[in-house]
Amino acid sequence: MTTVACAPVDLVEVWRGDILESMHQGHAVICGADGQIVDAWGDAGAVIYPRSSCKMIQALPLIESGAADAHGLGTRQLALACASHQGARIHTDPVQDWLDTLGLQDADFRCGPQWPADVPARNAIIRAHAGPCQIHNNCSGKHAGFLTLNRHISGGADYELVDHPVQQMGRAAFQETTGEDSPGYGIDGCSAPNFATTVHGLARAMAAFASAHDRSDTRSHAMVRLREAMMLHPELVAGETRACTDLMRAMDGRAAIKTGAEGVFVAIVPEARVGVALKIADGTTRAAEAAIAAILVRLGVLDADHPAARARMVPDIRNWRGTLCGRIAPVTALAGR
Amino acid sequence: MTTVACAPVDLVEVWRGDILESMHQGHAVICGADGQIVDAWGDAGAVIYPRSSCKMIQALPLIESGAADAHGLGTRQLALACASHQGARIHTDPVQDWLDTLGLQDADFRCGPQWPADVPARNAIIRAHAGPCQIHNNCSGKHAGFLTLNRHISGGADYELVDHPVQQMGRAAFQETTGEDSPGYGIDGCSAPNFATTVHGLARAMAAFASAHDRSDTRSHAMVRLREAMMLHPELVAGETRACTDLMRAMDGRAAIKTGAEGVFVAIVPEARVGVALKIADGTTRAAEAAIAAILVRLGVLDADHPAARARMVPDIRNWRGTLCGRIAPVTALAGR
C-alpha cells in the first residue's frame, strides 16, 4: 500500500471568539512552466487523488482525438466537460441537448443519480415527489465528454471502466501532463477511475495548461481551448454561490480554477505561467477554498478586497440568527500577510 | 489569544482504493471517576469548545434549580434538553407541547431558524413553499430548557446572553464539572455562549456523570436523571440515521453519548465509571463518529460487529452508483486492533 508522506503543515485556521477552534493542514505547490517548484508548503511529493480537480486533463483526449470538433462542441460543452456543476437548469439543459445530439439517453450515463446541489433544482424534484437522474450528477458534463469520445473512437461498452480505451486515453494524458507514472487509481464518486499523482505532479500539469499559449502542438492547443472555456463560462464550471464560479468571475479571465473532492483545489494562471495544486490533508472543502483564494491573492490575480475573495479567503462564521461567531483564515505563511 | 496546544495525533484514516486519501488528527481522553486520565491520545490539555457535546452539563441547572420538577418535566423533555435533534416531528411536536405549557411561542426562542436535517420534515416545508422556524433548530430542546429555567428563576429577558443568570448558572455547572476555570467562551450556532475547556476537563465532566450513581448529592442525582433520559430516548437525542441515536440503541443503556459541532464527541459509561471526550482537530464529524465508536468498542460497551458500530467505525465509502470505493477506519492505536 502507498501512503501519503507525512508532513502536512498548518494552512487554514478556524477561529471562534478568541480561541482557535479547528486547524486544517495540507500541502500546496506553485509550479513553473519548466515543471519546477516555485513555492511549496508541506510535502510536494505527497501522493493524492486529484478527484474532480483534474477534469480538464480528463477532457484533453476529447479534443486531441478530434471528437470535439467532429461533434461541433463549443466552449459551453467544453466548460461542462471540465465542470463539477450543481445540477441547475443552466447545467442540465445543455447537457441534455448534448445527449440528444448523440442520440443517447440518461440511462447511457455511468455517473449515477445525484441530488442537485442547486436549491431550485432540488426543490423542483422534491415538489414533484420524484428523484434525481444521472444528468443531475455533478460530473454529467464530463461523462457527456466521455460518451462523445467513445462514439468517436468506437470504444465499445462500459466507458467508465479503467481498461476501456476512453479511460486509458485519460490515463495517458494524465501521466504525460503530470510528468509522473501514476502509482494507482481509485474509483471516483462518478464511477470513473481517478489516477493518483503527487501534489507537485498535479501542479506541473496545471503549469502546462498555464503556459500552453507559448507552444503550438496539438496538446497545447487543446489546453488553451479548455482553460479559455472554463474562464469564459465560470457559471457552467460550478454554479451560483460556488467558489469556482465566484472566484473565476472575480478574476475575470486571469485564472482558471477547479475544486476536487476531499480538499483539493487547482489553479491555472496563464499570465504568470504557473500552475497551483493543493490538498487539505483532512479533505475539507472550506479549507481548500480559503487556501486557493490566498494563493491567488499572493499571485496577484485575485484582489483580496473583492467580496468574492473575502467570502472564500476569510469567511465570517455566522450562526442561525446571523450573529458573527468567528472567522476562517489562511495562516500567515500562506497569505503572506 | 489562547491557542490549541499543538500535538494532535493521527486518529482516523480515509482510504480510497489502496491509497490513503485523507487523515484526521485529534485529541482524545478517557477519564476515571477520580478525574485522572485513564488513557489519552494527542494533547489532553488542548483547549476546545465542547459545542453541543456539553448539553447535559448545560441542563444541570434546569434540574438542580427545581425548575424541571416544578414544571413536571419527564424523561422525554430532559432528553430533548440534551439533544441536537434533526427537527423531525418526533422532536418538534413535544418541544411545541413544552412551549405551549410555558405559554410561550416560537418567537420567544433565541436559537434562530434552521432547516431540519430530517428529510421528511424538510421536504414538507419545501412543498409548502415555507421556511423553517426556530423550533426546527437542532437546539430547540435545550432552549426550551433555558426558557423553563428562566421562568422558574424570573431571570428576565435575553436568556441567551452570557451575563444572564441562566447562562451564568450554566457556566458555574460547567466549571465545577470540568474542574477547570474556563479560559473563555464563543457564541454557539444557537446564540448561547459555549465555554471552553480542555479535552481532559470535558472528559472529567463526563466521568462525573458516569460515576454519579455512587453519590447522593443534588448534582449527582441530576446527572443520573439526564444520562438515563438520554439512554432511554436515543431517538430524541438526535434522530433516525444519526450516530448518537444508532450507537446508543446498539449499546442499549450501557452508555450515553453526544456529538458536538467541529468534530467533538463525548461518552458517559456508567458501568466503567469513565467519561470520554475527543476533538478532531480539523472539525470533521465523520472522524469524530469513527473515533468515538472505536473507543466505545475498546471500552467493551459497543459490539464491533453490530451493524451500527460498523457503519460508524469503519464505514464504507460508496459512490453514486453504490460501488464500494474506499473505507474510513480508526488508526490501530485507537482501535486497539
Side-chain angles (χ1 to χ4, degrees):
Chain A
M1 289 189 176
T2 307
T3 57
V4 173
C6 278
V9 296
D10 291 350
L11 290 182
V12 177
E13 303 166 346
V14 181
W15 290 85
R16 181 170 296 262
D18 290 338
I19 294 177
L20 181 64
E21 183 166 27
S22 298
M23 173 67 86
H24 297 284
Q25 299 189 314
H27 316 282
V29 170
I30 302 175
C31 185
D34 60 358
Q36 300 302 305
I37 293 173
V38 174
D39 234 327
W41 297 260
D43 181 5
V47 171
I48 64 168
Y49 289 119
R51 306 295 296 275
S52 287
S53 77
C54 71
K55 278 175 174 165
M56 68 292 275
I57 304 175
Q58 293 175 299
L60 285 170
L62 176 65
I63 297 180
E64 294 171 4
S65 67
D69 290 335
H71 285 82
L73 301 189
T75 56
R76 289 176 189 279
Q77 286 102 335
L78 294 183
L80 286 163
C82 301
S84 296
H85 67 70
Q86 56 189 13
R89 291 288 299 273
I90 62 161
H91 307 117
T92 52
D93 284 353
V95 174
Q96 184 62 55
D97 290 344
W98 188 354
L99 262 191
D100 292 345
T101 304
L102 293 168
L104 297 175
Q105 299 169 344
D106 199 82
D108 293 308
F109 280 130
R110 290 290 184 276
C111 46
Q114 177 187 14
W115 279 95
D118 179 73
V119 172
R122 183 202 65 178
N123 288 359
I125 295 170
I126 289 170
R127 289 179 183 132
H129 293 266
C133 302
Q134 295 194 80
I135 201 168
H136 295 107
N137 188 302
N138 80 87
C139 299
S140 70
K142 179 178 80 174
H143 281 249
F146 287 157
L147 286 165
T148 305
L149 173 60
N150 195 32
R151 170 70 55 84
H152 191 70
I153 64 172
S154 302
D158 303 327
Y159 71 85
E160 83 282 9
L161 299 182
V162 68
D163 292 329
H164 189 279
V166 163
Q167 302 306 332
Q168 284 301 307
M169 291 170 79
R171 180 184 182 182
F174 186 80
Q175 295 193 137
E176 288 158 14
T177 56
T178 58
E180 299 177 357
D181 288 337
S182 172
Y185 72 95
I187 302 299
D188 211 339
C190 70
S191 291
N194 194 253
F195 298 100
T197 185
T198 63
V199 182
H200 185 186
L202 186 57
R204 188 185 285 118
M206 295 304 118
F209 274 85
S211 59
H213 53 291
D214 292 336
R215 303 183 299 272
S216 57
D217 57 291
T218 301
R219 168 150 298 164
S220 297
H221 280 302
M223 285 177 161
V224 171
R225 286 177 69 180
L226 289 167
R227 80 180 196 209
E228 297 299 322
M230 292 173 70
M231 292 189 286
L232 196 58
H233 306 291
E235 75 285 359
L236 297 183
V237 175
E240 299 304 325
T241 76
R242 294 274 301 280
C244 287
T245 297
D246 288 350
L247 292 176
M248 280 201 284
R249 281 177 174 158
M251 294 186 289
D252 194 22
R254 298 182 69 184
I257 65 172
K258 184 72 192 67
T259 190
E262 289 291 328
V264 180
F265 231 116
V266 300
I268 297 165
V269 186
E271 68 186 52
R273 289 170 175 71
V274 298
V276 180
L278 67 84
K279 160 77 179 178
I280 302 300
D282 57 67
T284 305
T285 299
R286 66 180 179 185
E289 293 180 353
I292 198 70
I295 290 174
L296 292 166
V297 166
R298 185 187 186 92
L299 290 171
V301 291
L302 178 65
D303 176 0
D305 294 325
H306 191 290
R310 293 194 59 79
R312 299 297 173 177
M313 189 169 65
V314 285
D316 291 343
I317 297 173
R318 292 183 181 276
N319 69 14
W320 300 112
R321 292 171 76 206
T323 307
L324 183 65
C325 301
R327 176 157 287 145
I328 296 175
V331 298
T332 306
L334 195 64
R337 285 170 299 181
Chain B
M1 289 189 177
T2 307
T3 57
V4 173
C6 277
V9 296
D10 292 349
L11 289 181
V12 177
E13 303 167 345
V14 181
W15 291 86
R16 181 169 295 263
D18 289 338
I19 294 176
L20 180 65
E21 183 166 28
S22 299
M23 173 67 86
H24 297 283
Q25 298 189 314
H27 315 282
V29 170
I30 302 175
C31 186
D34 59 358
Q36 301 303 304
I37 293 173
V38 173
D39 234 328
W41 297 260
D43 180 5
V47 171
I48 64 167
Y49 288 120
R51 305 294 296 275
S52 287
S53 76
C54 70
K55 279 174 173 163
M56 70 291 278
I57 304 176
Q58 293 176 299
L60 286 172
L62 176 65
I63 297 180
E64 294 171 5
S65 67
D69 289 335
H71 286 81
L73 301 189
T75 56
R76 290 176 189 279
Q77 285 101 335
L78 294 182
L80 286 163
C82 301
S84 296
H85 67 69
Q86 56 189 11
R89 290 288 299 274
I90 61 160
H91 308 117
T92 52
D93 284 353
V95 175
Q96 184 61 55
D97 290 343
W98 188 353
L99 262 191
D100 292 344
T101 303
L102 293 169
L104 297 175
Q105 298 169 345
D106 198 82
D108 293 308
F109 279 131
R110 291 289 183 276
C111 46
Q114 178 186 13
W115 279 95
D118 180 71
V119 172
R122 184 202 65 180
N123 288 359
I125 295 171
I126 290 170
R127 289 179 185 133
H129 293 267
C133 302
Q134 295 194 82
I135 202 169
H136 295 106
N137 189 302
N138 79 87
C139 299
S140 70
K142 179 178 78 174
H143 280 249
F146 286 158
L147 286 165
T148 304
L149 174 60
N150 195 33
R151 170 71 55 83
H152 191 70
I153 64 171
S154 302
D158 303 328
Y159 71 84
E160 82 283 9
L161 299 182
V162 69
D163 291 329
H164 189 280
V166 163
Q167 302 306 331
Q168 285 301 308
M169 291 170 79
R171 181 184 183 183
F174 186 79
Q175 295 192 138
E176 289 157 13
T177 56
T178 59
E180 299 178 358
D181 287 337
S182 172
Y185 72 95
I187 302 299
D188 211 340
C190 70
S191 291
N194 196 254
F195 298 99
T197 185
T198 64
V199 182
H200 184 187
L202 185 58
R204 187 184 286 118
M206 295 305 117
F209 274 85
S211 59
H213 54 291
D214 292 335
R215 304 183 299 271
S216 57
D217 57 292
T218 301
R219 167 149 299 163
S220 298
H221 280 302
M223 286 178 160
V224 171
R225 285 177 68 180
L226 289 167
R227 80 181 197 210
E228 297 300 321
M230 292 174 69
M231 291 189 286
L232 196 59
H233 306 291
E235 74 286 358
L236 298 183
V237 175
E240 298 305 324
T241 77
R242 294 273 301 281
C244 287
T245 298
D246 288 350
L247 292 176
M248 279 200 285
R249 280 176 174 160
M251 293 185 289
D252 195 20
R254 298 183 69 184
I257 64 172
K258 183 70 191 71
T259 189
E262 291 290 329
V264 180
F265 230 116
V266 300
I268 297 165
V269 186
E271 68 185 51
R273 289 170 175 70
V274 298
V276 181
L278 67 85
K279 159 77 180 178
I280 302 300
D282 57 68
T284 305
T285 298
R286 66 180 179 186
E289 294 179 352
I292 197 70
I295 290 174
L296 291 166
V297 167
R298 184 187 187 93
L299 290 171
V301 290
L302 178 65
D303 176 359
D305 293 325
H306 191 290
R310 293 195 60 79
R312 300 295 173 175
M313 188 168 68
V314 285
D316 291 343
I317 297 173
R318 293 183 180 275
N319 69 14
W320 300 111
R321 293 172 75 207
T323 307
L324 182 65
C325 300
R327 177 156 288 146
I328 296 175
V331 297
T332 306
L334 196 63
R337 285 172 298 182

